[in-house]
Amino acid sequence: MLCKRIIPCLDVQNGLVVKGVQFKNHEVMGGIVELAAKYSNQGADELVFYDISASTEEKMVDKSWVKKISEVINIPFCVAGGIKSMDDARLILNEGADKISINTPALLNPRMIRDLSDEFGAQCVVVGIDVKTINSKHLIYAKTGNEDTAYSSEIEALDWLEEIQSLGAGEVVVNSMNQDGMRNGFDLDLIKDLSDRCTIPMIASGGAGSMEDFTEVFKSTNVDGALAASVFHKDIFTVQELKRHLQFNQINVRG
């Protein structure tokens, strides 16, 4: 059985790690490189960096911190935000990232998923989907790094999941906007519905507040990993403590 992955998420804004609640009211959590090293040393399986200012201000990810991260950690990491072309992706991968993640660019140009997969391999291509549930509809949102730019694509999550799989995405991160930063648990209904229909690795995101939340998402759904931010940034528990808890509950994780 494959090990479940624990993935700290670092939202980057103006060169610092920040965290908001439901994509607004961001507060500074610390330095990018320092937190990356901290979580790597704690035993995280991967890291994900979202440059939320790049994605909403039509800028490119600042490659300088990407290279610095590659020099201080020895685990895979993924970078998202402002990656709008093959050249953008190549630059970030060449600076040391193992994966790139796209959200809005994929919605605007789905063919980009196929092009990236053909050029770099599906294992490098992650599609992030930010889902807001409104009147029982799971809708995909774009430009979510800032509450002023976020908008609904009017595409339903299951339809988009099926399309990105057919286009060659290697992995998908499903983030519940309703639960983001709330720390009251993952959206198990949403994650289960999508993971039951998913044929590529899926990562659950949005809402983790306790170690039991991770146990529940792994036992109740078919996700391959779980992503969280504030519980790690605020030292509610460490990655090591979480993994010990999961092992005690018969969840297969790397030691």
Side-chain angles (χ1 to χ4, degrees), residues 195-222:
S195 66
D196 284 348
R197 303 286 291 274
C198 193
T199 59
I200 59 176
M202 176 178 285
I203 309 300
S205 173
S210 70
M211 290 189 280
E212 188 57 35
D213 291 336
F214 287 85
T215 302
E216 288 182 0
V217 78
F218 287 135
K219 288 193 170 183
S220 301
T221 76
N222 294 320

Side-chain angles (χ1 to χ4, degrees), residues 32-33 36-37 62-73 77 95-96:
I32 304 170
V33 177
D62 182 353
K63 66 176 184 178
S64 63
W65 59 256
V66 176
K67 186 170 182 60
K68 289 176 183 175
I69 289 164
S70 72
E71 294 170 348
V72 300
I73 68 173
F77 71 101
E95 290 297 318

